[in-house]
């Protein structure tokens, strides 16, 4: 990530996010970064109810115990975590109390930089101080204020099409704040998976990368898997195979950006950059790239080969050298790096299907959330719904489409019209 800050992945296992609390720890940090705030240490909420009662509520001694119990049940869940009854309360969700917090911070910053840097509607959603709820207002009045702190941008956005659809969806959801509060975990987690999976597939294409998004097929939660289903050929196995050498690819990209003096370029962009150089600069870059590959192979005790004198050939050999199992990059960080994709996938979009292994999976709740974002406030035709699914990276074969129609019909969400 020195000169290619594209993914918030960790190669150290203790720092890798496992999403055991869903996306909420990340959302807390994200809302603070978005509003240029920071929480230096966890705000103690244990005595918050007593503070509210003592400072703001006139109550007789006999009723205090009952009121404390009532407010605690209203404001906190069984885990003693603050219930998210209002958008402004997201600011007080703490990070994990472990090294996982480093990974959570990175994903939160990634989300701000990639998706939301200029979305004033989302800023307004989280900083809304008028809750129209007396208890929430009293709660906010008694919570210690957050510290002002501006977090500088780090990550470089590459997939504008996904970013545009996200902001289209989030602007709609903000108008329906109850829907957004209740489903924000699913929405943000899905878009995170959508973006990183498409970027991984783009990186895997190397010099052949283009602006097109890849189709990844999902099975519905209640369907059976079979060999004929597209989700087995063009689903999670397809994605996982391409993530297995992601660390080596990212190493190549970072080294090339360093040599070229660029930032955040993929291999296809770097090839274009090289082709646009004048003869003298192209010759100089080729000399240093060749020297770099030659030195690396010598230090790692590779067998001597005659290196090619062209940019694409040298980059290919650099990748093969780095990815070599015995003499290249240590296999441990390579494996751990790829697991960043696996963690978010297992938590939200994967299901084990017997001998077929893990398959991309869409459960009812996630499907309904994404359907709401597809349809919004106006009725649309059924065939347009599937177009909207695909804009959001959701591909279904004809069997799944039939099941979706049955599911939505059961919920009375489809109007049947005669010719």
């Amino acid at each position: 990530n020195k000169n290619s800050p594209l993914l918030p992945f960790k190669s150290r296992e203790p720092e890798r996010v496992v999403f055991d609390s869903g996306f909420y720890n990340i959302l807390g940090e994200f809302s603070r970064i978005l509003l240029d705030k920071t929480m230096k240490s966890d705000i103690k909420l244990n005595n918050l109810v007593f503070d509210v009662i003592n400072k703001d509520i006139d109550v007789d001694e006999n009723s205090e115990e009952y009121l404390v119990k009532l407010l605690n049940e209203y404001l906190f869940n069984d885990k003693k975590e603050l219930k998210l009854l209002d958008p402004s309360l997201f600011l007080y969700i703490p990070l994990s109390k472990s090294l996982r917090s480093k990974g959570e911070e990175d994903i939160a910053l990634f989300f701000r930089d990639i998706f939301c840097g200029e979305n004033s509607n989302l800023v307004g959603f989280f900083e809304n101080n008028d809750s129209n709820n007396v208890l929430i207002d009293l709660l906010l009045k008694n919570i210690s204020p957050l510290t002002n702190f501006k977090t500088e941008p780090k990550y470089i956005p590459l997939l504008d099409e996904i970013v545009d659809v996200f902001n289209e969806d989030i602007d709609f959801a903000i108008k329906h704040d109850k829907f957004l509060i209740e489903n924000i975990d699913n929405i943000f987690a899905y878009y995170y998976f959508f973006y990183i999976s498409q970027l991984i597939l783009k990186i895997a294409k190397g010099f052949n990368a283009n602006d097109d998004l890849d189709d990844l097929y999902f099975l519905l939660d209640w369907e059976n898997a079979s060999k004929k289903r597209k989700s087995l050929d063009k689903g999670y196995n397809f994605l996982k195979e391409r993530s297995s050498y992601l660390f080596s690819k990212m190493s190549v990209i970072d080294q090339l950006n360093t040599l070229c003096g660029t930032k955040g370029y993929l291999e296809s962009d770097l090839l274009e950059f090289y082709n646009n150089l004048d003869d003298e600069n192209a010759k100089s870059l080729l000399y240093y790239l060749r020297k770099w590959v030659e030195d690396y192979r010598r230090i790692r005790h590779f067998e001597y080969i005659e290196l090619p004198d062209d940019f694409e050939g040298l980059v290919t050999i650099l990748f093969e050298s780095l990815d070599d199992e015995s003499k290249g990059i240590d296999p441990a960080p390579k494996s751990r790096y790829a697991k960043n994709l696996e963690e978010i996938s297992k938590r939200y979009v994967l299901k084990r299907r017997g001998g077929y292994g893990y398959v991309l999976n869409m459960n009812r709740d996630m499907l309904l959330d994404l359907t709401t974002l597809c349809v919004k406030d106006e009725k649309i035709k059924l065939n347009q719904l599937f177009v909207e699914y695909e804009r959001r990276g959701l591909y279904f074969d004809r069997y799944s489409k039939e099941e979706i129609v049955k599911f939505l019909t059961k919920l009375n969400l489809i109007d049947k019209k005669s010719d």
Side-chain angles (χ1 to χ4, degrees), residues 138-275:
L138 289 175
L139 189 71
L140 292 171
K141 181 181 172 183
N142 285 280
I143 292 179
S144 304
L146 297 170
T147 307
N148 292 329
F149 182 79
K150 185 174 179 61
T151 307
E152 293 301 320
K154 173 182 177 181
Y155 293 99
I156 298 172
L158 293 182
L159 306 179
D160 293 341
E161 188 176 337
I162 296 177
V163 173
D164 290 345
V165 177
F166 170 83
N167 281 285
E168 172 192 315
D169 286 348
I170 216 68
D171 285 344
F172 160 77
I174 287 168
K175 296 174 187 174
H176 307 270
D177 56 352
K178 186 179 179 184
F179 164 77
L180 183 53
I181 291 172
E182 290 176 354
N183 301 289
I184 193 169
D185 179 70
N186 270 350
I187 294 169
F188 273 62
Y190 178 76
Y191 266 102
Y192 176 62
F193 167 80
F194 181 20
Y195 187 95
I196 64 170
S197 60
Q198 290 295 332
L199 184 54
I200 287 168
L201 293 173
K202 189 179 178 75
I203 289 168
K205 291 176 183 176
F207 294 120
N208 299 315
N210 53 42
D211 293 333
D212 297 335
L213 299 181
D214 280 271
D215 48 338
L216 286 173
Y217 282 83
F218 288 73
L219 268 183
L220 301 169
D221 198 41
W222 58 95
E223 287 186 285
N224 294 320
S226 68
K227 288 182 179 179
K228 296 179 181 178
R229 305 303 295 271
K230 285 188 176 180
S231 53
L232 298 184
D233 296 327
K234 200 73 187 293
Y236 185 64
N237 288 336
F238 175 80
L239 177 59
K240 187 176 181 180
E241 180 189 344
R242 283 147 186 81
S243 72
S244 62
Y245 48 84
L246 177 64
F247 191 75
S248 302
K249 276 284 186 184
M250 289 299 296
S251 299
V252 169
I253 289 167
D254 209 45
Q255 291 170 25
L256 291 177
N257 275 287
T258 303
L259 285 167
C260 293
T262 51
K263 199 169 179 74
Y265 281 26
L266 299 185
E267 286 178 66
S268 54
D269 307 313
L270 289 158
L271 178 59
E272 185 179 352
F273 171 84
Y274 169 76
N275 288 334

Side-chain angles (χ1 to χ4, degrees), residues 161 165 168 194 213 386-394:
E161 188 176 337
V165 177
E168 172 192 315
F194 181 20
L213 299 181
F386 290 108
V387 172
E388 293 297 327
Y389 282 149
E390 291 177 6
R391 285 183 70 212
R392 290 156 183 83
L394 275 177

